[in-house]
Amino acid sequence: MKSNLFVVGAMKGGTTWVVNQLGIMDEVFVPYLKEPHYFSQLKSYRKHIRHISDYQNYLNLYKSSIDEKYLVDGSVSYLTTPNVANKIFKHNPDSKIIILLRDPVQRAFSHYLMMLREGNTVDQDFIKELENDYHNELNNILESKRYIKNGLYYSGVREYLDLFGSENVLIEYYPEVLERPMQVLKRICSFLQLEFEEAQYSCNKVNQYARPRNVLTKKILGSDYLRLFLQFFIPIALRKTIKNKFLIMEDTKPVLQRDDYECLYMKYFFKDVQLLEKHLGCKFPLQKPKVNNILINT
């Protein structure tokens, strides 16, 4: 049986939590590599981010499945990489697609905070970081972190709807995942025609905000070679324990200034959101800051 359930993004939109919850379901199989990035052929500038380029190796991810109804591929690169929807359709036209969307400015900011946490950027200015990344994207520079591109949803959403049909594509929004997770899971189960039993699921946060303890730990976290070593030689549970030793978990995280939000939204995302709203026939739930806030040091 081929993979037939794709959680395609958006990155930082709640996809990890959704895939984790899918993995709890008896009729769903999630492989050890949740994001193989096979259909996007993602070649990240970060060496530790694994991807599968061979079709047989991709199929082998699912060889230990038994008789589950759904085999999951949770690669978030599938939403904003051109022609991926067509490749998935050729692979399995009977697939179900789950798309999680988040306010594109807030998504980019969350992505940026993740890069700070991972020691993958030293730039303390979010706007400057976006501008540099936008320049890299325009010039096809591999080091692009894709803050902008990963928030341009319209083309990908349209392609999945056109190919698979609205009955096979479920679109959810990040505020719902955050505020009403059990309602989201109910809709997912209904979409997949699976039984919903609330008691088995977890509302625990994943990818909670954290920051490196100091300059040294930031450098260690940013080392791709160390991450590669850990992936090959250290069990995943122990890797998480080691990583957490280098981080300070915090309940309060940095916030965006409203003026900065408005500027970035109009500059990079306004046109794409308008096209998306027109195509879906509904308003996109933006998460504009209500007032200007004091930006907490990162």
Side-chain angles (χ1 to χ4, degrees):
M1 184 175 171
K2 296 180 179 179
S3 52
N4 60 353
L5 175 55
F6 294 84
V7 183
V8 300
M11 180 183 181
K12 307 305 293 181
T15 54
T16 299
W17 180 79
V18 167
V19 172
N20 287 349
Q21 303 311 306
L22 288 170
I24 297 172
M25 302 176 188
D26 292 335
E27 294 187 73
V28 179
F29 177 83
V30 177
Y32 74 92
L33 185 60
K34 298 176 184 179
E35 297 191 62
H37 300 291
Y38 170 73
F39 294 101
S40 62
Q41 291 295 293
L42 175 72
K43 291 181 175 62
S44 173
Y45 67 96
R46 300 212 69 189
K47 298 177 180 63
H48 75 282
I49 297 178
R50 298 179 62 188
H51 70 282
I52 288 180
S53 56
D54 179 78
Y55 188 57
Q56 188 56 52
N57 288 341
Y58 178 72
L59 295 179
N60 287 343
L61 284 176
Y62 304 95
K63 66 182 180 181
S64 60
S65 62
I66 305 172
D67 56 355
E68 291 89 354
K69 186 175 181 179
Y70 294 104
L71 308 185
V72 177
D73 181 336
S75 304
V76 295
S77 59
Y78 292 171
L79 180 59
T80 55
T81 303
N83 203 39
V84 167
N86 187 51
K87 292 177 182 177
I88 293 174
F89 188 79
K90 289 179 179 178
H91 162 74
N92 191 343
D94 297 321
S95 296
K96 296 285 189 180
I97 310 296
I98 297 176
I99 301 174
L100 294 113
L101 301 180
R102 182 176 185 175
D103 180 305
V105 181
Q106 298 288 0
R107 191 222 68 81
F109 187 56
S110 179
H111 189 169
Y112 162 74
L113 293 180
M114 180 186 75
M115 289 297 184
L116 281 174
R117 181 190 71 205
E118 300 292 312
N120 198 231
T121 182
V122 296
D123 200 330
Q124 300 294 309
D125 187 326
F126 173 55
I127 295 177
K128 183 180 177 182
E129 177 89 343
L130 251 66
E131 289 175 349
N132 290 339
D133 196 55
Y134 184 62
H135 171 79
N136 288 344
E137 287 183 1
L138 287 177
N139 290 279
N140 245 352
I141 298 175
L142 187 61
E143 282 74 17
S144 168
K145 299 178 179 70
R146 294 168 56 111
Y147 293 124
I148 309 299
K149 187 175 181 180
N150 281 326
L152 300 176
Y153 310 131
Y154 166 66
S155 293
V157 170
R158 183 193 64 195
E159 287 174 10
Y160 282 108
L161 287 171
D162 288 350
L163 280 168
F164 292 93
S166 58
E167 70 278 9
N168 293 310
V169 179
L170 176 66
I171 299 174
E172 292 287 346
Y173 296 94
Y174 183 76
E176 284 287 300
V177 175
L178 196 64
E179 298 167 14
R180 288 173 284 277
M182 288 303 117
Q183 294 303 313
V184 171
L185 283 176
K186 279 184 181 179
R187 289 194 291 270
I188 289 174
C189 286
S190 176
F191 170 66
L192 299 176
Q193 297 183 323
L194 299 174
E195 293 292 326
F196 175 77
E197 297 179 14
E198 183 171 335
Q200 67 180 320
Y201 300 110
S202 168
C203 291
N204 293 336
K205 292 180 180 179
V206 292
N207 296 331
Q208 184 179 354
Y209 174 68
R211 59 181 175 83
R213 291 185 178 275
N214 50 51
V215 174
L216 177 60
T217 57
K218 177 177 279 192
K219 288 182 179 180
I220 294 172
L221 288 167
S223 169
D224 289 337
Y225 295 104
L226 176 60
R227 287 175 174 271
L228 275 172
F229 173 82
L230 292 174
Q231 281 186 7
F232 282 102
F233 298 105
I234 307 297
I236 187 168
L238 183 56
R239 291 205 304 265
K240 289 180 179 179
T241 301
I242 294 171
K243 183 178 177 181
N244 288 340
K245 295 291 184 183
F246 293 98
L247 296 170
I248 299 175
M249 301 294 176
E250 295 185 348
D251 293 327
T252 303
K253 62 182 179 181
V255 293
L256 274 172
Q257 295 270 24
R258 182 180 176 89
D259 291 346
D260 291 340
Y261 172 97
E262 296 283 2
C263 177
L264 295 171
Y265 174 70
M266 295 304 297
K267 184 174 182 179
Y268 296 117
F269 303 110
F270 172 73
K271 291 181 180 178
D272 189 78
V273 170
Q274 285 222 310
L275 288 170
L276 185 62
E277 289 180 337
K278 184 176 181 180
H279 195 76
L280 296 179
C282 62
K283 295 293 289 182
F284 191 101
L286 298 173
Q287 295 176 281
K288 299 181 181 181
K290 294 181 180 179
V291 295
N292 277 336
N293 301 284
I294 297 174
L295 186 63
I296 300 171
N297 291 330
T298 56

